[in-house]
Amino acid sequence: MSVLLTGGLGYIGSHTAVELLQSGEDVVVIDNLSNSNIKTKTNIKKIASEKRKISAKNFKVYIGDLRDTNLVEKIFTENKIDSVIHFAGLKAVGESVKKPLEYYDNNINSTLSLLKAMNKFKVKNLVFSSSATVYGQAKSMPIYEDFEVGATNPYGRTKLFIEEILKDAYAADSTLNIAILRYFNPIGAHDSGLIGEDPNGIPNNLMPYISRVATGRYDHLNIFGNDYNTHDGTAVRDYIHVVDLAKGHLKALKKLRKNCGLQIYNLGTGVGYSVLDLVNAYNSVCGNKVKYIFAPRRPGDVDICYANVDKAKKELGWTAKRNLKNMCKTSYNFECKKSKLK
Ligand code: NAD
Ligand code: UDP
């Protein structure tokens, strides 16, 4: 039996593929390379092979679009799929405001295509990549899973709508097992430096931008806002190492296999750090290469956002282990390897 990873060559998918392969699972990936590179396939195999011999039977990659129902049926026909982890989707908030129809088409229709195939081939277990963005402006901190939801942009709404679709699918078929994972802010890279976050174009997110300043690709970081109501005036987020996050998916999978029904989990560390905390931690590992200036607040940003992670700890037996310094160190290592500075 295999686990199907949609978007499995992307940032979080590739780290999860490594963890799954190393734990003895067989993995099948579908990815259309819209935000990833085929070289990641080789790198996943290379890392996983350090723990286990990986053959074409253990790790298969299909390049194509999840909305292509013929391809999806072919994948389910050619492989014995036991569970699916659904990462595939477009994820840039700003872009989603400019191209809402593209976001709705890609994120919603790919999910429908997947759910139809799962239904046809009687595959019952699904992990879905949701986001803390579904909480919008939460009324208090930390954020619990039962807080009110409400997104403020098309990307966030695709996540909310998909969560609703999954709840309806479960209401109609209670033999389904679905884990909706709401990620907080994934950063960091694999210790090998072979896989990490490498967005196309100018990064929207903080960490890849910092990494490019540290390696000389950009002159300085703009810190959006230093007048927030936080300990140093810059915005606070719950940063979680991508390897910890990947391990959370294995725990969720284990839970699904015990027939848990539909469950929602926050995946974060439960601790908030400011933009300046992150920059200072990064500077301590790269030798003070990250110059910054303060710039106006970014529209739509909240001042503070961090998770309560008790549910994941109690029910999945999962907690994040890596600290901020490790997140910075692994990100820098990945960026240096990529820019061949080391
Ligand atoms: P990513 O862009 O690196 O990975 C997504 C992958 O899906 C890419 O490889 C892309 O090529 C592929 N893809 C997109 N549309 C596809 C389609 N129609 N068919 C086939 N492949 C397709 O993103 P990521 O950071 O790894 O995020 C994975 C998931 O987690 C996404 O759904 C994202 O919305 C969600 N998420 C990410 C973050 C974050 O900060 N990275 C936070 C919360 C939630
Ligand atoms: N941020 C910043 N400069 C950048 C990118 C981001 O100051 O170039 C800030 C952003 O305003 C937010 C935090 O860093 O307060 C995290 O932003 P990111 O986009 O990484 O994640 P978000 O929490 O917005 O999903």
Side-chain angles (χ1 to χ4, degrees), residues 310-321:
D310 290 350
K311 189 176 177 207
K313 184 175 181 185
K314 188 162 166 247
E315 297 187 12
L316 303 179
W318 172 90
T319 45
K321 300 264 185 309

Side-chain angles (χ1 to χ4, degrees), residues 90-104 107 133 151-158 204 298-301:
L90 300 174
K91 63 164 186 177
V93 172
E95 189 184 55
S96 79
V97 175
K98 290 189 193 115
K99 301 175 179 172
L101 301 187
E102 210 175 292
Y103 270 66
Y104 288 121
N107 294 4
T133 193
T152 55
N153 56 69
Y155 164 69
R157 276 188 281 278
T158 68
N204 296 300
R298 188 170 66 176
D301 274 353

Side-chain angles (χ1 to χ4, degrees), residues 253-295:
L253 210 54
K254 212 170 149 191
K255 180 86 179 167
L256 294 180
R257 288 172 176 158
K258 288 184 188 150
N259 295 320
C260 64
L262 185 142
Q263 300 291 339
I264 300 178
Y265 297 103
N266 285 342
L267 296 188
T269 61
V271 181
Y273 287 105
S274 71
V275 176
L276 270 179
D277 290 334
L278 187 64
V279 170
N280 291 336
Y282 205 105
N283 271 332
S284 78
V285 301
C286 77
N288 292 318
K289 293 192 182 115
V290 183
K291 284 191 283 173
Y292 59 85
I293 59 165
F294 293 116

Side-chain angles (χ1 to χ4, degrees), residues 63-79:
I63 299 305
D65 199 292
L66 195 48
R67 288 165 293 180
D68 177 349
T69 49
N70 291 334
L71 172 64
V72 175
E73 289 211 0
K74 179 175 143 77
I75 294 173
F76 278 86
T77 308
E78 288 180 358
N79 302 279

